[in-house]
């Protein structure tokens, strides 16, 4: 476990002398099915063990920040959908929050509720797809992923009837949301939320006590809480290492103060904890959703004073951050009074969570690297920007 | 004390329940056999923009007045508009500009709906048509004005709730203009 990079493990030959183990350097990716996109890892192996790992990314670099600086404030909103394409609604929210801080815009009550509802639905479907992909990476090919996607599709249907698109929602605006819910949407959402725990029970019965799953995940890729804090890891990964830090509780953004929910914590920091923390987080999200759908107040969803065209905030700077399903997602904006931001910076959670990949993988086997990478929950659209 | 293999058997029982359940419960069999079976399009569904025209003649009834706001606001800049020098009357009878050329490159369009939101004339709306494959990826994906123009009846069919609101607003404006003209 405590192998240093380049260290050759001494082995005894037939004469009783140590042999030089031959190191093998392999390039895993960028088109590897387990790398969740175009991501490459340069692995140095000693036998099956990893002694060095270098993540190589940037294959999906799209100049997101520079595009944002040449775009009006409204024009950047659909581009944020494409950062973490599983969670477009939380991306929208973080960006809208940054612009609202910059320009001092108030958000109507109903819009705040709709934001919480859509963000928690996003968290549900992100964690579902993560659990499916993680189990798929471990070799449970098909079954858990298909079960997860069957359920995720119901949430995506809700997104489609609310925003018009399943994944590229482009729903939030500065000062609220683009449109109110259509007729019958709330009942559909309540139905999805009601039947979700039954699905989660089934999903957990499928694999939680599976001996193969446990031996593949427990004690693998252990992340100590000290390293997690020092490396700036956020989100379920940090909480799986036992650090109680959830921006919904810490930062009090939106109206999360009004809902009672718990923050699940792990105590081992291994892959199994990271998986379980996400499953438990889904149950907490359901509590928030159930309460928000019950207490949704009437009213406008967009501040009537909001200007979509010709929006020019006063010079200044703002940092808006939210607890996205993958961790702390922040947008930093500097305005110089023109219609375009002077500086537009994204703090993507999965990029920063990925920086500790080598520490997690050292000493493990190649097959474990796939599982560890799956448990980090990266989306390359966000890592490479 | 857990018997070894118990967890695996429990999981397999779950799989069996789903497998046999898929024969009886529609909840467990959700696959739609496209293209023979199709899901109904949703009210809010959007794909690429189209231009709305009133009446029967698409050139006379086109609502677009070539103000070029959508061209400026489009984030990936997929709209090209050239203003015509000849004007034509709009739905209240006022002379307005019209586009000589209105192209949308749908290989660039990202279906964000911002053109619809900024259009003050309700002239551009989102289509739900998605079977758009062509043999040529350059010219045939650049939709011209005559391909984009679709009637208001089509708009009412694909977005019933939204179009009722738009028709009500435009009808009220027209009635107001006619009342003013009579005075």
């Amino acid at each position: 476990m405590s192998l240093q990079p380049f260290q050759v493990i001494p082995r005894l030959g037939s004469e009783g002398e140590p042999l030089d183990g031959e190191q093998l350097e392999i390039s895993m990716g960028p088109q590897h099915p387990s790398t969740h996109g175009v991501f490459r890892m340069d692995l140095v192996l000693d036998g099956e063990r990893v002694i060095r790992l270098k993540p190589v990314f940037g294959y999906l670099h799209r100049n997101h920040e520079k595009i944002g600086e040449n775009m009006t404030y409204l024009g950047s909103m659909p581009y944020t959908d494409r950062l973490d394409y599983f969670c477009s609604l939380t991306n929208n929210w973080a960006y809208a929050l940054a612009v609202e801080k910059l320009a001092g815009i108030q958000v109507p009550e109903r819009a705040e509720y709709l934001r919480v509802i859509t963000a928690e639905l996003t968290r549900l479907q992100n964690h579902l797809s993560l659990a499916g992909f993680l189990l798929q990476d471990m070799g449970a090919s098909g079954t858990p992923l298909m079960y997860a996607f069957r359920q995720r599709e119901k949430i995506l249907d809700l997104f489609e009837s609310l925003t018009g698109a399943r994944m590229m929602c482009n729903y939030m605006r500065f000062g609220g949301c683009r449109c109110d819910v259509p007729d019958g949407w709330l009942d559909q959402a309540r139905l999805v939320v009601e039947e979700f725990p039954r699905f989660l029970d089934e999903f957990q019965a499928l694999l939680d006590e599976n001996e193969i799953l446990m031996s593949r995940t427990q004690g693998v890729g252990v992340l100590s809480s000290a390293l997690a804090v020092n490396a700036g890891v956020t989100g379920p990964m940090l909480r799986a290492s036992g650090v109680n830090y959830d921006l919904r509780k810490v930062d009090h953004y939106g109206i999360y103060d009004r809902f009672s929910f718990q923050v699940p914590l792990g105590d081992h920091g291994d892959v199994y904890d990271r998986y379980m923390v996400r499953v438990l987080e889904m149950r907490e999200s359901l509590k928030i959703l159930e309460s928000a759908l019950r207490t949704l107040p009437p009213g406008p969803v967009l501040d009537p004073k909001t200007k979509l065209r010709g929006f020019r905030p006063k010079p200044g700077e703002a940092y808006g951050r939210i607890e996205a399903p993958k961790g702390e997602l922040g947008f930093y904006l500097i305005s110089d009074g023109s219609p375009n931001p002077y500086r537009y910076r994204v703090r993507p959670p999965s990029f920063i969570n990925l920086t500790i990949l080598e520490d997690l993988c050292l000493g493990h086997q190649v097959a474990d690297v796939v599982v560890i990478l799956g448990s980090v929950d990266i989306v390359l659209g966000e890592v490479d920007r | 004390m857990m018997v070894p293999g118990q967890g695996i058997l429990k999981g397999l029982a779950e799989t069996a329940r789903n497998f046999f359940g898929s024969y009886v419960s529609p909840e467990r069999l959700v696959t739609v056999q496209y293209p023979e079976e199709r899901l109904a399009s949703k009210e809010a569904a959007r794909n690429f923009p189209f231009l709305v025209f009133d009446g029967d003649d698409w050139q006379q009834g086109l609502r677009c007045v070539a103000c070029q706001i959508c061209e400026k606001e489009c984030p990936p800049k997929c709209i090209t508009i050239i203003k015509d020098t000849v004007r034509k009357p709009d739905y209240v009878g006022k002379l307005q500009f019209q586009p000589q050329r209105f192209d949308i490159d749908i290989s660039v369009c990202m279906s964000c709906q911002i053109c619809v939101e900024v259009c003050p004339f309700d002239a551009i709306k989102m289509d739900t048509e998605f079977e758009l494959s062509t043999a040529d990826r350059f010219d045939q994906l650049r939709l011209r004005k005559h391909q984009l123009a679709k009637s208001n009846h089509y708009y009412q069919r694909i977005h019933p709730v939204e179009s009722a609101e738009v028709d009500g607003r435009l009808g009220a404006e027209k009635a107001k203009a006619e009342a003013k003209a009579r005075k």
Side-chain angles (χ1 to χ4, degrees):
Chain A
M1 298 286 163
S2 59
L3 286 175
Q4 295 302 310
F6 299 114
Q7 184 191 348
V8 179
I9 303 163
R11 275 178 298 181
L12 290 178
S14 54
E15 308 296 319
E17 297 157 339
L19 284 181
D20 265 356
E22 199 172 316
Q23 294 182 357
L24 179 68
E25 193 176 335
I26 61 166
S27 171
M28 196 168 162
Q31 269 88 23
H32 193 275
S34 75
T35 54
H36 299 240
V38 274
F39 172 63
R40 186 158 69 93
M41 287 172 283
D42 277 344
L43 297 171
V44 180
L45 303 177
D46 180 36
E48 268 282 311
R49 289 230 213 129
V50 178
I51 55 174
R52 191 159 61 109
L53 185 149
K54 194 175 118 200
V56 183
F57 30 68
Y59 291 97
L60 207 62
H61 180 59
R62 309 183 297 291
N63 230 334
H64 180 86
E65 291 177 3
K66 209 69 199 168
I67 289 175
E69 285 162 21
N70 290 307
M71 200 58 68
T72 57
Y73 284 88
L74 175 65
S76 281
M77 187 61 92
Y79 281 101
T80 61
D81 289 340
R82 284 139 179 96
L83 275 174
D84 174 358
Y85 38 78
F86 279 108
C87 327
S88 58
L89 284 158
T90 45
N91 296 347
N92 284 177
W93 193 2
Y95 177 60
L97 203 68
V99 178
E100 279 154 13
K101 271 190 184 171
L102 189 64
I105 303 171
Q106 291 299 314
V107 182
E109 184 92 346
R110 188 178 172 86
E112 289 278 23
Y113 272 85
L114 285 177
R115 285 180 174 189
V116 168
I117 291 169
T118 49
E120 293 306 317
L121 284 171
T122 305
R123 196 180 314 279
L124 284 181
Q125 61 101 354
N126 175 69
H127 287 355
L128 270 183
S129 38
L130 168 101
F133 283 127
L134 177 62
L135 298 167
Q136 166 107 344
D137 286 346
M138 263 179 259
S141 54
T143 310
L145 183 66
M146 287 301 133
Y147 288 0
F149 266 46
R150 190 180 61 193
Q151 196 65 21
R152 175 174 174 256
E153 200 62 29
K154 293 178 185 166
I155 297 173
L156 292 186
D157 278 349
L158 286 178
F159 287 169
E160 192 182 0
S161 42
L162 177 62
T163 70
R166 292 163 74 247
M167 290 172 84
M168 301 296 132
C169 296
N170 183 21
Y171 179 57
M172 289 173 200
R173 292 287 176 266
F174 327 130
C177 302
R178 196 182 71 217
C179 53
D180 205 345
V181 291
D183 290 341
W185 190 86
L186 290 172
D187 294 327
Q188 284 173 31
R190 281 186 199 112
L191 198 69
V192 169
V193 170
E194 261 170 41
E195 69 176 19
F196 206 93
R198 202 162 59 90
F199 163 78
L200 267 184
D201 292 340
E202 268 187 20
F203 194 74
Q204 287 193 281
L206 181 68
L207 279 167
D208 271 9
E209 293 170 22
N210 189 308
E211 288 81 0
I212 304 172
L213 177 92
M214 289 203 226
S215 63
R216 284 297 301 277
T217 54
Q218 288 181 346
V220 172
V222 175
L223 172 64
S224 69
S225 52
L227 176 64
V229 171
N230 285 337
V233 171
T234 47
M237 257 190 104
L238 177 68
R239 295 193 284 273
S241 297
V243 183
N244 189 353
Y245 183 76
D246 187 322
L247 283 183
R248 290 176 290 175
K249 293 273 190 198
V250 175
D251 217 32
H252 309 288
Y253 68 94
I255 48 163
Y256 275 110
D257 289 347
R258 302 184 197 175
F259 305 108
S260 72
F261 63 98
Q262 288 171 332
V263 180
L265 296 177
D267 48 2
H268 299 96
D270 55 5
V271 174
Y272 190 78
D273 274 12
R274 264 170 247 151
Y275 165 72
M276 280 313 288
V277 159
R278 284 173 173 120
V279 171
L280 294 174
E281 254 183 33
M282 281 197 256
R283 295 203 185 264
E284 297 303 320
S285 286
L286 287 170
K287 280 188 206 165
I288 302 176
L289 273 171
E290 193 269 325
S291 153
L293 285 167
R294 190 160 31 81
T295 52
L296 181 70
V301 293
L302 193 62
D303 188 1
K305 282 178 286 180
T306 311
K307 264 169 77 181
L308 290 179
R309 282 180 58 218
F311 177 74
R312 288 160 183 265
K314 288 194 184 70
E317 56 181 334
Y319 180 63
R321 59 176 187 171
I322 67 162
E323 180 73 31
K326 293 181 168 66
E328 176 187 334
L329 173 67
F331 282 85
Y332 177 62
L333 293 165
I334 301 181
S335 163
D336 57 357
S338 67
N340 311 333
Y342 175 76
R343 179 78 174 97
Y344 169 90
R345 155 91 185 138
V346 190
R347 185 239 188 253
S350 53
F351 171 65
I352 290 164
N353 291 357
L354 192 62
T355 52
I356 50 157
L357 188 65
E358 183 175 19
D359 300 272
L360 298 185
C361 291
L362 283 185
H364 287 296
Q365 296 183 348
V366 184
D368 292 332
V369 172
V370 173
V371 179
I372 293 167
L373 181 69
S375 76
V376 176
D377 192 12
I378 57 164
V379 161
L380 269 297
E382 188 177 65
V383 173
D384 292 342
R385 305 196 294 298
Chain B
M1 177 66 198
M2 245 175 91
V3 186
Q6 193 187 341
I8 294 177
L9 289 176
K10 206 171 153 190
L12 285 175
E14 195 55 54
T15 313
R17 199 140 63 91
N18 272 277
F19 174 65
F20 293 112
S22 71
Y23 284 98
V24 287
S25 156
E27 200 185 304
R28 292 192 196 274
L29 187 68
V30 289
T31 318
V32 173
Q33 300 291 336
Y34 179 86
E36 286 83 17
E37 290 177 60
R38 279 156 196 267
L39 295 171
S41 175
K42 294 197 169 60
E43 159 79 31
R46 59 182 146 100
N47 196 14
F48 293 120
F50 70 99
L51 296 174
V52 188
F53 67 86
D54 296 308
D56 298 322
D57 182 9
W58 71 267
Q59 275 169 315
Q60 274 307 308
L62 208 62
R63 285 184 191 165
C64 177
V65 299
C67 66
Q68 296 178 316
I69 289 175
C70 54
E71 189 187 18
K72 278 195 206 84
E73 291 291 325
C74 176
K77 301 275 179 281
C78 69
I79 304 177
T80 311
I81 301 173
I82 297 174
K83 237 182 215 183
D84 202 346
T85 45
V86 186
R87 297 189 186 202
K88 73 168 177 63
D90 66 356
Y91 63 101
V92 292
K94 199 174 142 199
L95 272 186
Q96 293 275 20
F97 283 106
Q98 57 174 324
Q100 188 209 2
R101 204 184 168 128
F102 195 114
D103 294 353
I104 294 180
D105 191 343
I106 60 167
S107 64
V108 174
C109 175
M110 59 178 184
S111 314
C112 64
Q113 212 179 3
I114 282 178
C115 51
V116 178
E117 280 170 64
V118 297
C119 182
F121 302 97
D122 290 299
I124 189 165
K125 295 289 170 194
M126 295 311 273
D127 205 346
T128 53
E129 178 66 48
F130 55 88
E131 288 160 323
L132 297 159
S133 58
T134 62
D136 171 26
R137 67 195 165 104
F138 299 109
D139 198 53
Q140 288 183 32
L141 288 178
R142 195 182 170 96
L143 298 186
R144 303 302 199 275
K145 194 168 67 166
H146 66 93
Q147 291 164 298
L148 292 168
K150 287 179 182 173
S151 76
N152 197 24
H153 300 298
Y154 175 77
Y155 175 47
Q156 284 161 351
R157 202 177 72 235
I158 58 171
H159 299 304
V161 179
E162 191 190 298
S163 67
E165 191 263 330
V166 171
D167 286 346
R169 190 150 34 83
L170 293 185
E173 269 174 43
K174 194 176 177 183
K176 219 163 104 188
E178 276 169 0
K180 206 173 165 190
R182 268 201 300 274
K183 258 186 235 168

